[in-house]
């Protein structure tokens, strides 16, 4: 199962490096959510770190959920979903997609957290 999950991970990483669709979409989503939260909060909450941490985690949670949904939508749009299900078990597909989204979230965090600070 781990070999199949690695194959799904490697396929998705190659696809992402070619198109950079998910990274740019997740980053733009996180950036716009960060801007909206910053505008809504304003300077009044600048001294409350627990609220700022909650807002940062909210931005990252929304970005991660948008990225995970996008990983499966791409397979359905390209009509490769049924082929993947024939080649790999569902658990391996989920693990591979999850690992790709974990890497994608780490890249988003590397870009968003300095902007948030």
């Amino acid at each position: 199962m781990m070999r199949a999950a690695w194959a799904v991970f490697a396929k998705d990483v190659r696809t992402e490096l070619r198109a950079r669709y998910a990274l740019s979409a997740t980053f733009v989503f996180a950036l716009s959510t960060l801007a909206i939260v910053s505008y809504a909060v304003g300077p009044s909450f600048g001294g409350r770190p627990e609220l700022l941490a909650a807002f940062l985690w909210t931005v990252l949670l929304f970005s991660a959920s948008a990225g995970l949904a996008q990983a499966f939508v791409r397979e359905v749009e390209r009509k490769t979903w049924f082929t993947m299900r024939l080649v790999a078990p569902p658990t391996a597909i989920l693990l591979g997609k999850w690992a790709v989204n974990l890497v994608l979230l780490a890249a988003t965090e590397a870009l968003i957290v300095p902007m948030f600070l």
Side-chain angles (χ1 to χ4, degrees):
M1 181 176 64
M2 292 307 290
R3 185 177 293 177
W6 178 255
V8 170
F9 175 80
K11 179 196 77 67
D12 279 0
V13 167
R14 274 194 309 271
T15 303
E16 182 56 32
L17 289 176
R18 287 181 191 147
R20 290 183 181 84
Y21 176 73
L23 182 62
S24 60
T26 304
F27 179 67
V28 167
F29 182 81
L31 187 64
S32 62
T33 307
L34 181 64
I36 290 169
V37 166
S38 297
Y39 181 74
V41 169
S44 61
F45 291 111
R48 303 200 46 198
E50 62 276 357
L51 284 177
L52 293 175
F55 290 137
L56 176 63
W57 281 108
T58 302
V59 169
L60 294 176
L61 174 72
F62 287 150
S63 300
S65 26
L68 186 60
Q70 196 59 241
F72 290 101
V73 168
R74 188 179 321 132
E75 299 297 335
V76 172
E77 286 176 351
R78 293 183 181 167
K79 297 182 180 13
T80 57
W81 178 247
F82 293 115
T83 306
M84 278 186 60
R85 289 183 57 198
L86 288 173
V87 174
T91 307
I93 294 171
L94 182 63
L95 282 175
K97 298 276 186 191
W98 177 78
V100 169
N101 282 295
L102 192 64
V103 170
L104 180 64
L105 181 61
T108 304
E109 287 177 10
L111 296 170
I112 291 296
V113 170
M115 289 182 184
F116 185 80
L117 294 176

